[in-house]
Amino acid sequence: MSYLIDSHSHLDFEDFDKDRDSVIQRAFDSGLKAIITIGTNLESSKKSIALAEKYENIFATVSLHPIDVDKEEFIGLTFLDLAHHPKVVAIGETGLDYYHSSDKEKQKQVFQKLVQIAIEVEKPIIIHSRDADEDILFLLKEMALPKSRGVIHCFGRDYEMAKKFLDLGFLISYTGNITYGSERQKSITEVPLEKIIVETDCPFLAPVPFRGQRNEPSCVKYVAEKIAEIKKIDFSAVAEQTTKNCIKLFNLPII
Ligand code: NI
């Protein structure tokens, strides 16, 4: 069996309130080695940590998502404290979202503060970018992150843009929307497999053949299958290498 890691899920979301434990069980039964569950605000970050404490191979991240910066005040010390938790493997998702209407300046401030926290606790960052790649690249360069310190999640732009993140030492993460058509597949042929990780972003972005339904971690295999198809390589090669990349980036204590 080929093992995969879902590097980006939102298991704390209420979509999973009725059957969270069976969703998790199904994921591990389907051959997932680990799941990273992503915090999007203070409460969600705490819930993600609680899940990571409950399951050995679930890991958490903490953040205030750019689209949530208007909804709660960012308290740096609280997030710094959570970021130190041994099962917190990254800071994020953080970044900029110019598609949603939350205050751009506030988004930039919170993003910079979260990157500072990541630097302080020496953990990678998970970047969320929507219509904001150039500003994110500008801020990242300004903050002089150490090499290999993160991933740009839900990537769907061309290789030229992918290359700018690769040059800063970032990995590229693909999710279920690469199965929707060629538009979001543009970079996949050229981005080296050694720089790729996979994710579901569940409950969102269910891959074909489940498009439109609730997504869950076990569906990450459809993302890996699509990458294998586009790169014309074996599924097992994609599973093996992306899992290796993920373990290395997030320093996961699994073999
Ligand atoms: Ni997400």
Short mmCIF file of all heavy atoms in Angstrom, two decimals, residues 155-159 174 177-188 230:
data_model
loop_
_atom_site.label_atom_id
_atom_site.label_comp_id
_atom_site.label_asym_id
_atom_site.label_seq_id
_atom_site.Cartn_x
_atom_site.Cartn_y
_atom_site.Cartn_z
N PHE A 155 -2.08 25.54 -4.64
CA PHE A 155 -1.44 26.28 -5.74
C PHE A 155 -2.13 25.99 -7.08
O PHE A 155 -2.44 24.83 -7.38
CB PHE A 155 0.05 25.94 -5.84
CG PHE A 155 0.80 26.89 -6.72
CD1 PHE A 155 1.19 28.14 -6.24
CD2 PHE A 155 1.09 26.56 -8.04
CE1 PHE A 155 1.86 29.04 -7.05
CE2 PHE A 155 1.77 27.46 -8.85
CZ PHE A 155 2.15 28.70 -8.36
N GLY A 156 -2.33 27.04 -7.87
CA GLY A 156 -2.99 26.83 -9.17
C GLY A 156 -2.54 27.80 -10.25
O GLY A 156 -3.17 27.93 -11.28
N ARG A 157 -1.43 28.49 -9.98
CA ARG A 157 -0.95 29.44 -10.99
C ARG A 157 0.08 28.75 -11.91
O ARG A 157 0.28 27.57 -11.84
CB ARG A 157 -0.33 30.68 -10.31
CG ARG A 157 -1.37 31.71 -9.90
CD ARG A 157 -2.09 31.35 -8.62
NE ARG A 157 -1.31 31.58 -7.43
CZ ARG A 157 -1.54 31.03 -6.25
NH1 ARG A 157 -2.54 30.18 -6.09
NH2 ARG A 157 -0.77 31.29 -5.22
N ASP A 158 0.74 29.54 -12.74
CA ASP A 158 1.65 28.93 -13.71
C ASP A 158 3.04 28.69 -13.10
O ASP A 158 3.31 29.06 -11.95
CB ASP A 158 1.75 29.78 -14.99
CG ASP A 158 2.25 31.18 -14.71
OD1 ASP A 158 2.76 31.44 -13.59
OD2 ASP A 158 2.14 32.03 -15.60
N TYR A 159 3.92 28.07 -13.92
CA TYR A 159 5.24 27.73 -13.40
C TYR A 159 6.07 28.97 -13.07
O TYR A 159 6.86 28.96 -12.13
CB TYR A 159 5.99 26.82 -14.37
CG TYR A 159 7.36 26.45 -13.84
CD1 TYR A 159 7.49 25.64 -12.71
CD2 TYR A 159 8.51 26.96 -14.42
CE1 TYR A 159 8.73 25.33 -12.18
CE2 TYR A 159 9.77 26.65 -13.91
CZ TYR A 159 9.86 25.83 -12.79
OH TYR A 159 11.09 25.53 -12.27
N TYR A 174 -0.58 21.01 -3.85
CA TYR A 174 -1.74 20.95 -4.74
C TYR A 174 -2.90 20.28 -4.03
O TYR A 174 -2.72 19.37 -3.21
CB TYR A 174 -1.40 20.15 -6.00
CG TYR A 174 -0.33 20.80 -6.85
CD1 TYR A 174 0.98 20.30 -6.85
CD2 TYR A 174 -0.62 21.92 -7.63
CE1 TYR A 174 1.97 20.90 -7.62
CE2 TYR A 174 0.37 22.52 -8.41
CZ TYR A 174 1.66 22.01 -8.40
OH TYR A 174 2.64 22.59 -9.15
N ASN A 177 -8.72 20.79 -6.47
CA ASN A 177 -9.18 21.57 -7.63
C ASN A 177 -8.30 21.37 -8.87
O ASN A 177 -8.67 21.80 -9.95
CB ASN A 177 -9.36 23.05 -7.28
CG ASN A 177 -8.11 23.70 -6.77
OD1 ASN A 177 -7.02 23.13 -6.85
ND2 ASN A 177 -8.24 24.90 -6.23
N ILE A 178 -7.18 20.67 -8.74
CA ILE A 178 -6.41 20.33 -9.96
C ILE A 178 -7.12 19.27 -10.80
O ILE A 178 -6.76 19.03 -11.95
CB ILE A 178 -4.95 19.87 -9.67
CG1 ILE A 178 -4.93 18.57 -8.86
CG2 ILE A 178 -4.14 20.97 -9.00
CD1 ILE A 178 -3.57 17.86 -8.88
N THR A 179 -8.13 18.63 -10.19
CA THR A 179 -8.88 17.61 -10.96
C THR A 179 -10.04 18.24 -11.73
O THR A 179 -10.76 17.54 -12.45
CB THR A 179 -9.45 16.50 -10.05
OG1 THR A 179 -10.45 17.07 -9.19
CG2 THR A 179 -8.37 15.85 -9.20
N TYR A 180 -10.26 19.55 -11.57
CA TYR A 180 -11.44 20.19 -12.20
C TYR A 180 -11.22 20.54 -13.67
O TYR A 180 -12.16 20.88 -14.37
CB TYR A 180 -11.84 21.47 -11.45
CG TYR A 180 -12.24 21.29 -10.00
CD1 TYR A 180 -12.47 22.39 -9.17
CD2 TYR A 180 -12.40 20.02 -9.43
CE1 TYR A 180 -12.83 22.24 -7.85
CE2 TYR A 180 -12.76 19.86 -8.11
CZ TYR A 180 -12.98 20.98 -7.32
OH TYR A 180 -13.33 20.84 -6.01
N GLY A 181 -9.96 20.54 -14.11
CA GLY A 181 -9.70 20.94 -15.48
C GLY A 181 -8.27 21.41 -15.59
O GLY A 181 -7.54 21.42 -14.60
N SER A 182 -7.86 21.82 -16.78
CA SER A 182 -6.45 22.11 -17.01
C SER A 182 -5.98 23.43 -16.40
O SER A 182 -4.79 23.63 -16.17
CB SER A 182 -6.17 22.12 -18.51
OG SER A 182 -7.02 23.06 -19.12
N GLU A 183 -6.91 24.33 -16.12
CA GLU A 183 -6.55 25.68 -15.67
C GLU A 183 -5.57 25.68 -14.48
O GLU A 183 -4.58 26.41 -14.48
CB GLU A 183 -7.84 26.45 -15.32
CG GLU A 183 -7.65 27.86 -14.81
CD GLU A 183 -6.93 28.79 -15.80
OE1 GLU A 183 -6.99 28.53 -17.01
OE2 GLU A 183 -6.30 29.76 -15.33
N ARG A 184 -5.83 24.86 -13.47
CA ARG A 184 -5.00 24.89 -12.27
C ARG A 184 -3.86 23.84 -12.30
O ARG A 184 -3.20 23.60 -11.31
CB ARG A 184 -5.87 24.71 -11.02
CG ARG A 184 -6.90 25.84 -10.88
CD ARG A 184 -7.66 25.76 -9.59
NE ARG A 184 -6.80 26.00 -8.45
CZ ARG A 184 -6.55 27.21 -7.93
NH1 ARG A 184 -7.07 28.28 -8.45
NH2 ARG A 184 -5.75 27.34 -6.89
N GLN A 185 -3.66 23.24 -13.46
CA GLN A 185 -2.62 22.20 -13.59
C GLN A 185 -1.35 22.74 -14.24
O GLN A 185 -0.39 22.00 -14.42
CB GLN A 185 -3.14 21.04 -14.45
CG GLN A 185 -4.40 20.38 -13.94
CD GLN A 185 -4.99 19.41 -14.96
OE1 GLN A 185 -4.49 19.29 -16.08
NE2 GLN A 185 -6.05 18.72 -14.58
N LYS A 186 -1.38 24.03 -14.59
CA LYS A 186 -0.34 24.59 -15.47
C LYS A 186 1.10 24.39 -15.00
O LYS A 186 2.00 24.28 -15.82
CB LYS A 186 -0.60 26.10 -15.67
CG LYS A 186 -1.76 26.37 -16.59
CD LYS A 186 -1.96 27.86 -16.82
CE LYS A 186 -2.52 28.53 -15.59
NZ LYS A 186 -3.02 29.88 -15.83
N SER A 187 1.32 24.36 -13.69
CA SER A 187 2.69 24.29 -13.19
C SER A 187 3.17 22.86 -12.92
O SER A 187 4.35 22.64 -12.68
CB SER A 187 2.80 25.10 -11.90
OG SER A 187 1.99 24.51 -10.90
N ILE A 188 2.24 21.91 -12.93
CA ILE A 188 2.56 20.58 -12.38
C ILE A 188 3.67 19.84 -13.15
O ILE A 188 4.52 19.20 -12.53
CB ILE A 188 1.28 19.71 -12.29
CG1 ILE A 188 0.31 20.35 -11.28
CG2 ILE A 188 1.60 18.27 -11.87
CD1 ILE A 188 -1.04 19.68 -11.18
N ILE A 230 -0.48 13.56 -14.81
CA ILE A 230 0.08 14.71 -15.54
C ILE A 230 1.59 14.56 -15.75
O ILE A 230 2.11 14.86 -16.81
CB ILE A 230 -0.25 16.03 -14.78
CG1 ILE A 230 -1.75 16.29 -14.84
CG2 ILE A 230 0.53 17.21 -15.37
CD1 ILE A 230 -2.23 17.37 -13.89
#
